Amino acid sequence: MTDIRQFRRRCALLLPVVLLLLGAAAPPERPAADTGPVVSTDRGSVRGRAHGAYRTFEGIPFAAPPTGALRWRLPEPAPRWEGVRDAGAPGARCVQLPVLEPGAPIGSEDCLYLNVTAPAGGRDAGGRLRPVMVWFHGGGFFSGAGDSYRPDRLAVRGGAVVVTVNYRLGVFGLFGHPELGGAPDFALADQRAALRWVRANAEGFGADPRNVTVFGESAGALSVCAHLTSPASAGLFQKAIVQSGSCSITTPPRSLLPGLGTYEPFVPERRTVEEGVLAAARLGCSRPTGVLDCLRRLDSGALATAELMQRFSLVSYGNDTLPLEPRRALEDGLFHRVPVMQGATQDEMRLFLAQTLAAYPIGDEAAYRARLELSFGASAARAVGARYPVSAYPTPAVSWATLLTDASFLCPALRDGRALARHVPTYEYRFSDRDAPNFTGLPEVPGLPLGAAHGFELPYLFTMAALTGPQQQLADRMTGYWTGFARTGVPAAPGAPPWARHGSAAAAVLSLAPGADGIRTVDARAEHHCALWDAQWPGVTTSG
């Protein structure tokens, strides 16, 4: 069990931690605090920093600190301040555990801050307000921070105003208990508070509060999915981008470790509430009433344990925020009518599998077939093994990672795309650069090159890793697609191949890779054997 918990923690936290380190290694130059640009917000004025072609305003509070009596309450408005508040450095990150080695919790409960990166000069050359892109970070809902991502490329080349957001994590963000009336999904409530802040203040930064795009990767993408299907988020955004975290994402049971069950990021509220009652009792707060008062008196360190941060890292549905499981809501057409762009990387699961091969190797075809039966059962294993034979791949590990990627990420995303496209313009991509920079620092594992692994598209949108010439050209085009979609609802970029809507052609998924013909449409359902997964794993990739 300990190994499983450590693995889950490493997989969920790896990318955010690397981003934190990269962000700390090369911060942009900051001019003297009293010379930066000043913008008025609804709570007071802030002074940012100028960086030539763009400006930054960091550490702006968008809600009151959720501390003391406000722990496990919906976010309240930030206090007003007098004078000009310095916005030259990020605010505190939300409470989380260090990842690279054991240690005390880091961060603070006073963490509801956001950061704004905007092109210099305010409005565009024609005097028009710019699109706003609001980024929700990944990290398994129990790690990460908005300031880990540097969106200067999106601002300078794409002409967008980008807002990166902190939100409560783990037991502080997704706790449930009968005295709370359920599990109110405070992490999502924090994100909504940030969107309300954007609506109230975007124009002061040269942006259009009526043209907001929410986007995120991994847990951030799951957040976007939740807002798409949440009645509480109505009217707060006009477009959505989902990166490697569709509403239907899952992983087969025992596919990475023998004792690791199925991963599903959305769970019934009653499950979270039951877990909350048990957790409160273990913490010594089991009296008939006043449990929350007891828990609120505890130091954050008593709550930010590995067990509690992981246990409360799943989003609850069956409440006012999410009445339905999001994938069911999509199938039923119960989501906000906004254009959606979504996709995944070609080799998503290689990042996760690489971390378990030493403990749970796939050395030969016999081990591969044993895994098939363990995860899918004997009947489905025969069908899956016939479609993904070891002989068709360099190693058994590559074969296993490929089928897991198709079953867990790509085919569920395409299934969501079908549901979305019945009602709204939908555009789908696959990031396919198998030479993308390994910015994680994870060493290559023999027999399993990382390729286009989970999160490896991020350096093409944010400043975090060196790119080759062809990769930089791809990054420029991706920046154009992303910001073009934010501007108009259509991912069109000057000089880049056209991107067809879902359903407009048999091959409507845009494959993104460097080179002259690297950007092209593909029949992703056929390439990733989605008909097989619809038949052999219903309830995950179909609505059955």
Side-chain angles (χ1 to χ4, degrees):
M1 181 63 72
T2 301
D3 289 343
I4 293 170
R5 289 174 180 161
Q6 289 176 344
F7 168 70
R8 277 181 147 168
R9 186 174 168 203
R10 287 183 63 200
C11 285
L13 301 181
L14 175 62
L15 287 173
V17 168
V18 172
L19 292 171
L20 294 177
L21 295 175
L22 287 170
E29 280 189 37
R30 304 188 187 282
D34 59 355
T35 62
V38 175
V39 171
S40 295
T41 77
D42 62 342
R43 315 313 290 174
S45 296
V46 293
R47 188 188 305 277
R49 301 292 184 268
H51 310 282
Y54 67 99
R55 305 174 297 161
T56 58
F57 301 83
E58 299 176 299
I60 303 174
F62 64 86
T67 58
L70 296 185
R71 180 189 282 171
W72 297 313
R73 295 192 189 277
L74 296 177
E76 297 189 0
R80 298 182 184 275
W81 60 84
E82 299 295 329
V84 180
R85 180 188 179 103
D86 183 63
R93 291 160 179 160
C94 291
V95 178
Q96 54 197 275
L97 291 170
V99 181
L100 299 181
E101 56 188 30
I106 58 175
S108 170
E109 286 189 78
D110 178 3
C111 65
L112 298 185
Y113 299 95
L114 55 76
N115 314 289
V116 180
T117 301
R123 300 186 181 209
D124 69 15
R128 295 177 294 269
L129 291 170
R130 300 177 182 277
V132 190
M133 302 181 73
V134 180
W135 175 257
F136 300 134
H137 66 78
F141 286 111
F142 54 99
S143 183
D147 65 271
S148 303
Y149 301 81
R150 290 177 50 189
D152 46 285
R153 182 184 293 129
L154 295 168
V156 175
R157 187 172 185 86
V161 174
V162 184
V163 180
T164 64
V165 178
N166 287 355
Y167 53 90
R168 280 175 280 183
L169 302 168
V171 69
F172 302 97
L174 295 171
F175 184 66
H177 193 273
E179 288 189 14
L180 288 170
D185 291 326
F186 300 106
L188 300 181
D190 294 343
Q191 295 170 0
R192 285 197 302 275
L195 290 170
R196 288 193 292 270
W197 183 94
V198 168
R199 185 170 58 187
N201 296 289
E203 193 162 351
F205 297 88
D208 187 349
R210 298 170 301 278
N211 191 10
V212 177
T213 297
V214 289
F215 72 135
E217 187 267 344
S218 198
L222 296 172
S223 300
V224 173
C225 160
H227 292 298
L228 273 171
T229 60
S230 172
S233 300
L236 293 176
F237 59 96
Q238 288 70 49
K239 304 171 194 71
I241 302 175
V242 181
Q243 300 177 215
S244 298
S246 72
C247 291
S248 297
I249 189 174
T250 186
T251 58
R254 298 170 293 279
S255 57
L256 296 171
L257 286 170
L260 195 63
T262 302
Y263 169 71
E264 294 177 303
F266 300 103
V267 297
E269 182 181 63
R270 65 179 181 277
R271 172 177 158 182
T272 305
V273 171
E274 291 168 358
E275 294 282 4
V277 171
L278 294 174
R282 288 194 295 270
L283 290 165
C285 297
S286 57
R287 62 193 69 180
T289 60
V291 172
L292 285 181
D293 289 339
C294 175
L295 291 172
R296 287 182 176 125
R297 287 194 291 270
L298 296 177
D299 181 82
S300 62
L303 296 166
T305 65
E307 179 185 4
L308 291 179
M309 293 298 283
Q310 294 163 27
R311 188 172 298 277
F312 297 99
S313 62
L314 304 174
V315 178
S316 298
Y317 66 86
N319 51 32
D320 290 341
T321 295
L322 291 176
L324 293 175
E325 183 184 9
R327 69 185 180 96
R328 301 294 188 191
L330 291 191
E331 287 291 337
D332 293 345
L334 300 175
F335 59 89
H336 302 303
R337 298 299 192 254
V338 301
V340 177
M341 195 173 95
Q342 66 163 4
T345 69
Q346 190 164 5
D347 305 308
E348 293 274 3
M349 290 297 293
R350 293 192 190 187
L351 182 73
F352 307 111
L353 183 60
Q355 298 174 71
T356 63
L357 278 182
Y360 189 31
I362 316 175
D364 53 28
E365 186 169 355
Y368 173 74
R369 294 196 172 277
R371 283 215 189 191
L372 282 172
E373 292 200 14
L374 191 62
S375 289
F376 300 105
S379 177
R382 287 191 293 272
V384 174
R387 196 60 59 89
Y388 296 86
V390 170
S391 60
Y393 299 90
T395 66
V398 171
S399 180
W400 187 246
T402 301
L403 74 85
L404 289 184
T405 293
D406 292 353
S408 303
F409 281 88
L410 285 158
C411 293
L414 291 171
R415 171 244 178 211
D416 285 355
R418 291 199 304 272
L420 289 161
R422 297 186 196 118
H423 303 279
V424 299
T426 304
Y427 299 87
E428 301 196 70
Y429 75 86
R430 183 189 69 197
F431 179 77
S432 309
D433 183 7
R434 284 182 158 154
D435 293 317
N438 175 11
F439 68 99
T440 68
L442 186 71
E444 292 285 344
V445 174
L448 186 63
L450 290 176
H454 183 70
F456 277 33
E457 87 282 13
L458 292 174
Y460 295 72
L461 299 170
F462 298 94
T463 302
M464 61 177 61
L467 303 174
T468 67
Q471 289 173 336
Q472 184 61 58
Q473 291 176 351
L474 174 62
D476 291 343
R477 289 184 168 184
M478 288 175 60
T479 297
Y481 284 135
W482 263 245
T483 56
F485 178 79
R487 185 170 289 104
T488 68
V490 177
W499 189 334
R501 282 173 58 167
H502 182 106
S504 62
V509 174
L510 198 69
S511 179
L512 300 168
D517 300 317
I519 299 180
R520 57 189 179 87
T521 53
V522 298
D523 187 348
R525 275 191 57 81
E527 288 190 14
H528 299 285
H529 310 301
C530 293
L532 166 75
W533 295 114
D534 288 348
Q536 296 296 342
W537 208 12
V540 174
T541 58
T542 73
S543 58

